């Protein structure tokens, strides 16, 4: 690009611009060869070759600071100008002051969503890499699992609208960040507001993913909707070297860091001491009917929707922000259909082994579409998922089925390493 600019700037204006009788085409070729020779000299100088060091140490520095001599010929002036442009471009690159900002943090992903042993599929997954850009220009990636209860309506609503609502809230939070420079607080505020907005839409949710005051006209609107329908939500945002996880319910996010499984969310169950105290403080009851349940109905203390169970069941997410490290292997998001029968450690070991074993082909395979083989109709994504991630997610789902999971099973595996 610099070469093109130098060539344009130094092209003769027309046949009469050069010395009388000179061939413009030949002169142009001569100047191009001299410019290329100058560029090769600058490149070898910046690489620190022995030959250029012997010929003139600090040659690049001289090119940056010393203007062309007025006694030089026009051809030499062209070559010097090109050298100055290249050296200035190299010197103008910003220095990496923050290791986290300078590093390249790769992201690859794959997912599977299965009805399992249930007749109806109420889980959904949402995969939106580069769904928005943060205030500093960094791309943000959105991955989520939603586990519906009482019907697929709220989970479908989350799948279709959560990422769009969050993008709007992040745009507003970016203004706060630019004014106050409190990045993590801005992210937390945007996530909390997004969950609250989706929760407000939940009573009018249709299984198609829309929210309407009147009955939706789509073929899926005949199912149950209303005050008892709801969904869990575990959302992961990847931006630069940060993993931002927001959880509402008993779906879970687990980070595989080296040989260790690091939970990035905590299940919000009614018998968790702090959750039970909160429920009882607002006049609610935790009843033990096939496990701890709010009013004997819902087996979690936080969720989107479930208007009938408010104020005991709230939609406020618990948010964790984790700094990535070179030891991070992958991030697993899954519904309780997986976690009820597979431990964090086993899930991480299986995923890590799948990712390390590699893939027999990087081409699209059957079932490795944008959201994996899902009867929930996963949302499209901007790029093809990594087959190894899909294989890891599929193996986890099959393992859960083999261990007789009785629920829908949704798994997202996000590879956090650059694998060839």
């Amino acid at each position: 690009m610099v070469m093109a600019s130098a060539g344009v700037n130094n092209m003769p204006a027309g046949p009469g611009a050069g010395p009388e009788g000179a061939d413009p085409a030949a002169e142009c070729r001569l100047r191009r060869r001299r410019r290329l020779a100058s560029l090769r000299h600058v490149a070898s100088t910046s690489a620190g070759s022995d030959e250029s060091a012997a010929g003139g140490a600090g040659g690049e520095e001289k090119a940056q600071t010393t203007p062309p001599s007025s006694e030089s010929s026009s051809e030499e002036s062209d070559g010097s100008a090109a050298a100055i442009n290249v050296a200035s471009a190299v010197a103008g690159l910003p220095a990496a002051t923050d290791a986290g900002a300078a590093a390249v943090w790769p992201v690859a992903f794959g997912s599977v969503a299965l009805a399992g042993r249930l007749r109806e599929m109420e889980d959904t997954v949402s995969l939106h890499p580069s769904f928005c850009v943060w205030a500093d220009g960094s791309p943000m990636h959105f991955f989520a699992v939603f586990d519906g209860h009482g019907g697929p309506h709220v989970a479908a609503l989350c799948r279709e609208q959560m990422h769009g609502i969050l993008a709007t809230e992040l745009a507003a939070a970016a203004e706060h960040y630019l004014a106050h420079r409190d990045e993590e607080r801005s992210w937390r505020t945007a996530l909390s507001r997004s969950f609250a907005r989706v929760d407000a839409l939940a009573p009018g949710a249709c299984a198609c993913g829309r929210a309407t005051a009147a009955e939706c006209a789509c073929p899926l609107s005949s199912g149950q909707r209303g005050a008892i329908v709801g969904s869990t939500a575990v959302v992961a945002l990847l931006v630069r070297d940060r993993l931002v996880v927001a959880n509402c319910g008993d779906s879970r996010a687990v980070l595989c860091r080296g040989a260790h499984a690091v939970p990035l969310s905590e299940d919000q169950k009614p018998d968790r001491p702090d959750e039970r105290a909160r429920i009882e403080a607002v006049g609610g009851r935790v009843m033990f009917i096939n496990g701890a349940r709010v009013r004997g109905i819902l087996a979690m203390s936080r969720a989107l929707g479930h208007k009938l169970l408010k104020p005991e069941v709230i939609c406020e997410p618990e948010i964790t922000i984790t700094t990535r490290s070179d030891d991070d292997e992958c991030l697993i998001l899954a519904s309780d259909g997986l976690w009820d029968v597979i431990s964090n450690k086993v899930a991480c070991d299986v995923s890590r082994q799948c990712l390390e074993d590699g893939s027999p082909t990087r081409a699209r395979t059957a079932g490795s579409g944008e959201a994996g083989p899902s009867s929930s109709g996963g949302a499209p994504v901007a790029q093809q998922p990594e087959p190894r991630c899909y294989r890891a997610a599929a193996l986890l789902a099959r393992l859960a089925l083999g261990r007789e999971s009785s629920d829908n099973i949704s798994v997202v595996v996000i590879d956090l390493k650059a694998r060839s």
Side-chain angles (χ1 to χ4, degrees):
M1 187 173 183
V2 174
M3 289 173 58
S5 174
V8 171
N9 290 339
N10 292 290
M11 283 288 286
E20 185 174 358
D23 182 3
E27 183 179 353
C28 181
R29 287 194 296 272
L30 178 60
R31 291 184 177 182
R32 187 182 299 114
R33 284 195 294 269
R34 288 177 175 173
R35 283 197 299 272
L36 290 173
S38 299
L39 291 174
R40 286 193 293 270
H41 174 71
V42 172
S44 62
T45 301
S46 63
S49 66
D50 295 338
E51 181 180 353
S52 60
E60 183 178 338
E61 187 174 356
K62 178 187 287 187
Q64 296 176 36
T65 57
T66 305
S69 171
S70 59
E71 299 176 358
S72 301
S73 65
S74 61
E75 291 83 3
E76 292 172 347
S77 176
D78 291 337
S80 300
I84 292 170
N85 286 342
V86 173
S88 299
V90 173
L93 293 176
T97 57
D98 183 358
V104 177
W105 299 98
V107 175
F109 58 91
S111 71
V112 167
L114 304 175
R117 290 179 168 79
L118 297 183
R119 297 182 61 183
E120 184 174 9
M121 181 61 175
E122 297 180 342
D123 286 7
T124 63
V125 298
S126 184
L127 313 172
H128 294 276
S130 302
F131 83 112
C132 72
V133 177
W134 182 234
D136 63 355
S138 301
M140 304 188 79
H141 311 291
F142 176 98
F143 303 99
V145 170
F146 307 107
D147 180 2
H149 303 109
H153 307 73
V154 178
L157 173 73
C158 292
R159 179 194 66 213
E160 297 298 326
Q161 301 198 31
M162 176 69 85
H163 65 282
I165 291 174
L166 180 56
T168 302
E169 292 296 337
L170 284 169
E175 298 180 3
H176 177 273
Y177 163 70
L178 292 175
H180 302 282
R181 295 292 170 179
D182 191 346
E183 190 171 58
E184 293 191 0
R185 181 178 179 183
S186 299
W187 292 339
R188 292 176 185 275
T189 300
L191 283 164
S192 295
R193 288 178 57 86
S194 298
F195 276 55
R197 287 178 59 182
V198 173
D199 182 69
L201 295 174
C206 175
C208 68
R210 290 191 291 264
T212 58
E215 185 174 351
C216 183
C218 80
L220 301 176
S221 64
S222 58
Q224 178 184 0
R225 57 183 286 185
I228 197 59
V229 181
S231 176
T232 71
V234 58
V235 173
L237 292 180
L238 280 66
V239 51
R240 298 193 313 272
D241 62 336
R242 302 296 181 87
L243 302 173
V244 185
V245 172
N247 181 54
C248 187
D250 58 0
S251 295
R252 192 182 305 167
V254 177
L255 173 65
C256 178
R257 175 165 285 176
H260 304 284
V262 182
L264 301 187
S265 66
E266 185 177 359
D267 298 354
Q268 294 151 353
K269 296 289 191 179
D271 57 348
R272 208 177 83 180
D274 57 336
E275 289 295 287
R276 181 169 185 174
R278 179 186 58 78
I279 292 169
E280 293 175 347
V282 296
R285 293 183 60 192
V286 176
M287 304 174 66
F288 289 83
I289 302 175
N290 191 24
R293 296 177 180 268
V294 178
R295 299 190 200 175
I297 300 173
L298 189 64
M300 66 206 67
S301 56
R302 302 192 189 196
L304 301 173
H306 295 298
K307 184 177 180 181
L308 181 67
L309 299 178
K310 296 184 183 301
E312 298 100 307
V313 176
I314 62 175
C315 66
E316 179 65 26
E318 292 181 327
I319 301 171
T320 62
I321 300 177
T322 306
T323 301
R324 290 171 64 172
S325 77
D326 293 335
D327 294 331
D328 293 346
E329 297 281 348
C330 63
L331 176 65
I332 305 170
L333 309 179
S335 60
D336 61 341
L338 178 80
W339 303 119
D340 284 348
V341 295
I342 295 179
S343 68
N344 295 350
K345 174 65 172 170
V346 170
C348 284
D349 290 344
V350 170
S351 298
R352 183 175 61 253
Q353 191 62 52
C354 281
L355 296 175
E356 289 177 351
D357 285 347
S359 174
T361 176
R362 297 186 64 86
R364 181 184 295 271
T365 58
S368 64
E370 281 77 11
S374 170
S375 58
S376 63
V381 297
Q383 64 190 62
Q384 178 181 339
E386 166 62 49
R388 281 174 292 194
C389 296
Y390 162 72
R391 291 172 62 229
L395 184 55
L396 288 175
R398 290 174 59 189
L399 184 59
L401 284 173
R403 295 190 177 186
E404 299 185 351
S405 173
S406 60
D407 203 348
N408 300 150
I409 304 167
S410 295
V411 186
V412 177
V413 175
I414 305 164
D415 189 1
L416 301 178
K417 281 190 177 294
R419 304 176 197 268
S420 58

